[in-house]
Amino acid sequence: MLELRDLVSGYGKAMVVKGLSIDVGRGQLVSLIGANGAGKTTTLKAISGLIPIKSGKVIFDGQDITNASARKILSLGVAHCPEGRHVFPYMTVTENLEMGCYLRNDRKAIADDMSRIFEQFPRLAERRQQVAGTLSGGEQQMLAIGRALMSRPKLIMFDEPSLGLAPNIVEHTFDIISNIRDQGTTVLMVEQNALAALEMCDHAYLIESGALTLAGSGRELVDNPHVRAAYLAD
Amino acid sequence: MQELLQHLANALLLGSTYALLGIGLTLIFGIMRVVNFTHGELYSFGAYAVFFLEAALGVNFFVAIVVAVIAGCLLGALIEFALLRPIQGADIDTTMLVMIGAWIFMQNSELLYWGGVAKSIKTPFPEAPLQLGLISVSWLRIFVLVVGSVLIVATYFFIDHTKLGKAIRATFQDHDTAALMGINIKGIYTATFALGSGLAAAAGALLGPVFLVTPTMGDIASLKAFAIVILGGLGNITGATIGGFILAFVEELGAGYVSSGYRDAMGFVIIIVILLFKPTGLFTRADRIG
């Protein structure tokens, strides 16, 4: 569904991702693991059109989306749930969800989707008129996920969904992400919590210094001595 | 007592247009981080547009005001598209120089076309003021207050409740995430600049008939707009609204009780005092549009 071919991208003259090729199959949950600064977030930003791609290609659903606008990429079905949640702090929960479906005009279906999200996240329903900046970290994460779902994506990318959340919330967040995959949406997840990311995924990639060093099933990576030593701390 | 009431009434009538000026400038700064030196020129453009439409083309006064505001929006969109979009991402010095250049160009174009002699705009309102108990106010000024207030409320409604207004707020709050929502950021910039410019043109179109229209009228308007925005906190619409009324009250009372020659100086006295004691502005509720 999503293919990266020799992707090179970064900020200004500094290239952070240096020739990355990965595949995300339809309906899969794919984890991208690696250390801080390895280029995981940069990869997601390059896919979703936030930063320019210097060379290489991004193919989504057979279509070349290299350096397309963020708007175009979203409209093709790629949603990006950014690192640190990034809810709109002075907008209400409802307004945040409305922003998620900014490109849609099907009022009826939007209302249905919104009530489904409120059903799934009752905490958000209770706080629908509250501004998002006053929510707890976990609630903000639910809102960020709900907002990404509001675009009805075919592929949803999560960047560090567990970052800065309490342990019980982390578990809940991963359950939600697995659920999203189970309901047929393809997921590409970047995660520092390597063990959890590897256990829940269908396929995983390890990137180091902007390049691919290992690929395989989650199990294979968990059993790999290098991964164990460097990322699973045992 | 009667004198005080009269000053307060005058200030109230003036305050609505000052608020429009301030809201326009604070929106543009808040969203785009552009210090808009052309703001005052949009103000004088609004006044000249009404003068031109009425005196040269014989357009009805009220229609002329509406057309002037729309033309102000279009001129703002043009400035954004032609001057700011090509230098997006450039450092603040470059942007400032470009805007200062545009300001000088616009002002001198007015001077070239209309000359330096002040113009006055004819209005359909009766000369005799309306007597309300102890105070008297001109019909024109009441009209200015009503239209100014309606525009303030309309701007609030637009920002709070329309899809474009929400997209403007989202862009202000988180630029990259707004792009991820599919919001066309460049389009938001153009729309914001057009809206801010339209509000400045509206203030000019409303105050032009109250005072005289001259090519340099925009300079003092620009300075006042900056005073209002600093007073209310940058990017704060409510702050700009209240700031506009505060400036009007201070000016009016200063002119009445200190010296009318110091009227325009009052705004700067306020800026200095605010910057000394509360440099983030009076109404800073963090950094927000809304």
Side-chain angles (χ1 to χ4, degrees):
Chain A
M1 169 164 252
L2 178 77
E3 304 168 38
L4 305 190
R5 291 288 162 261
D6 302 313
L7 186 77
V8 177
S9 181
Y11 307 89
K13 288 201 174 69
M15 289 304 124
V16 183
V17 178
K18 302 158 190 160
L20 183 66
S21 299
I22 66 171
D23 284 288
V24 179
R26 190 177 300 274
Q28 283 190 326
L29 195 169
V30 172
S31 289
L32 210 55
I33 63 165
N36 246 337
K40 307 185 300 291
T41 295
T42 308
T43 303
L44 296 194
K45 284 186 173 175
I47 295 170
S48 59
L50 282 184
I51 55 172
I53 293 168
K54 189 94 174 194
S55 69
K57 267 192 178 9
V58 182
I59 316 278
F60 176 70
D61 247 357
Q63 200 168 345
D64 188 344
I65 57 165
T66 314
N67 284 327
S69 70
R71 184 185 176 95
K72 168 85 181 156
I73 291 166
L74 177 72
S75 71
L76 290 172
V78 181
H80 180 164
C81 193
E83 179 179 358
R85 306 180 282 274
H86 284 269
V87 295
F88 298 110
Y90 304 112
M91 297 176 92
T92 64
V93 167
T94 305
E95 285 175 337
N96 267 274
L97 293 175
E98 284 171 9
M99 287 296 111
C101 55
Y102 186 73
L103 293 182
R104 291 173 56 188
N105 287 311
D106 41 346
R107 275 168 178 274
K108 179 87 179 60
I110 287 173
D112 290 348
D113 285 0
M114 204 174 285
S115 46
R116 200 165 315 128
I117 282 169
F118 282 141
E119 232 165 78
Q120 196 181 349
F121 305 117
R123 302 276 290 180
L124 295 182
E126 287 164 27
R127 289 164 171 69
R128 60 181 85 193
Q129 292 310 324
Q130 201 169 317
V131 293
T134 62
L135 301 179
S136 73
E139 290 161 355
Q140 289 189 7
Q141 185 61 271
M142 302 304 119
L143 180 56
I145 294 173
R147 187 179 62 182
L149 288 173
M150 284 302 287
S151 67
R152 288 203 171 169
K154 295 178 196 157
L155 168 73
I156 177 163
M157 303 193 292
F158 290 99
D159 194 352
E160 304 283 6
S162 75
L163 193 76
L165 298 180
N168 58 328
I169 309 279
V170 168
E171 207 173 309
H172 181 49
T173 304
F174 286 140
D175 285 347
I176 291 167
I177 292 172
S178 296
N179 240 325
I180 289 172
R181 185 261 324 266
D182 294 343
Q183 282 164 13
T185 307
T186 309
V187 176
L188 173 60
M189 180 171 74
V190 157
E191 185 51 63
Q192 292 246 11
N193 186 341
L195 185 61
L198 293 176
E199 278 176 343
M200 68 192 277
C201 72
D202 302 305
H203 201 79
Y205 294 96
L206 170 66
I207 53 177
E208 290 174 322
S209 308
L212 189 66
T213 48
L214 261 180
S217 70
R219 192 73 259 159
E220 282 163 12
L221 264 69
V222 170
D223 292 337
N224 181 288
H226 172 61
V227 173
R228 294 195 78 85
Y231 299 98
L232 302 177
D234 75 355
Chain B
M1 185 61 197
Q2 180 184 356
E3 196 187 340
L4 178 65
L5 280 176
Q6 185 66 50
H7 285 312
L8 293 179
N10 289 348
L12 187 65
L13 301 175
L14 199 58
S16 62
T17 51
Y18 282 6
L20 288 179
L21 265 180
I23 294 171
L25 192 65
T26 216
L27 263 176
I28 291 170
F29 181 81
I31 306 276
M32 308 174 65
R33 300 283 140 177
V34 167
V35 182
N36 179 17
F37 287 105
T38 65
H39 203 61
E41 293 316 306
L42 263 308
Y43 170 83
S44 60
F45 171 83
Y48 270 112
V50 174
F51 169 75
F52 177 75
L53 287 164
E54 201 189 38
L57 304 181
V59 175
N60 172 281
F61 176 73
F62 301 104
V63 177
I65 288 181
V66 174
V67 174
V69 175
I70 294 169
C73 288
L74 294 176
L75 180 60
L78 180 69
I79 292 173
E80 198 284 330
F81 190 80
L83 299 179
L84 290 173
R85 192 172 284 202
I87 57 164
Q88 211 181 84
D91 58 76
I92 189 160
D93 300 347
T94 310
T95 317
M96 266 207 217
L97 282 174
V98 168
M99 295 316 277
I100 290 173
W103 164 29
I104 296 170
F105 173 80
M106 291 169 77
Q107 186 168 109
N108 283 284
S109 304
E110 286 163 359
L111 187 61
L112 189 67
Y113 192 80
W114 283 292
V117 180
K119 313 284 187 194
S120 70
I121 297 172
K122 286 190 182 57
T123 73
F125 297 103
E127 285 290 320
L130 177 69
Q131 205 64 41
L132 288 170
L134 292 173
I135 56 171
S136 69
V137 280
S138 73
W139 288 96
L140 174 62
R141 282 182 179 243
I142 293 174
F143 169 74
V144 169
L145 173 68
V146 171
V147 177
S149 308
V150 167
L151 285 176
I152 292 169
V153 172
T155 304
Y156 266 94
F157 181 83
F158 171 76
I159 294 285
D160 282 344
H161 297 293
T162 65
K163 189 166 179 175
L164 182 56
K166 287 176 189 176
I168 287 177
R169 281 155 62 208
T171 305
F172 172 71
Q173 291 169 27
D174 197 326
H175 185 275
D176 274 1
T177 308
L180 287 180
M181 302 295 117
I183 293 169
N184 173 358
I185 304 294
K186 286 180 177 168
I188 293 294
Y189 283 175
T190 307
T192 306
F193 209 90
L195 172 64
S197 299
L199 291 174
L206 290 171
L207 281 189
V210 175
F211 304 117
L212 289 169
V213 186
T214 69
T216 52
M217 69 188 284
D219 292 351
I220 193 73
S222 225
L223 290 170
K224 284 181 185 178
F226 280 111
I228 293 162
V229 169
I230 291 170
L231 193 62
L234 293 163
N236 185 334
I237 297 177
T238 305
T241 309
I242 301 171
F245 282 98
I246 292 181
L247 180 66
F249 278 103
V250 173
E251 273 187 13
E252 192 64 41
L253 295 177
Y257 294 103
V258 182
S259 159
S260 60
Y262 284 111
R263 168 182 279 274
D264 290 334
M266 292 304 162
F268 309 107
V269 173
I270 302 187
I271 296 190
I272 293 167
V273 173
I274 298 282
L275 288 180
L276 281 176
F277 295 103
K278 197 156 185 310
T280 51
L282 285 184
F283 310 102
T284 318
R285 300 165 297 180
D287 211 15
R288 73 172 292 187
I289 285 271

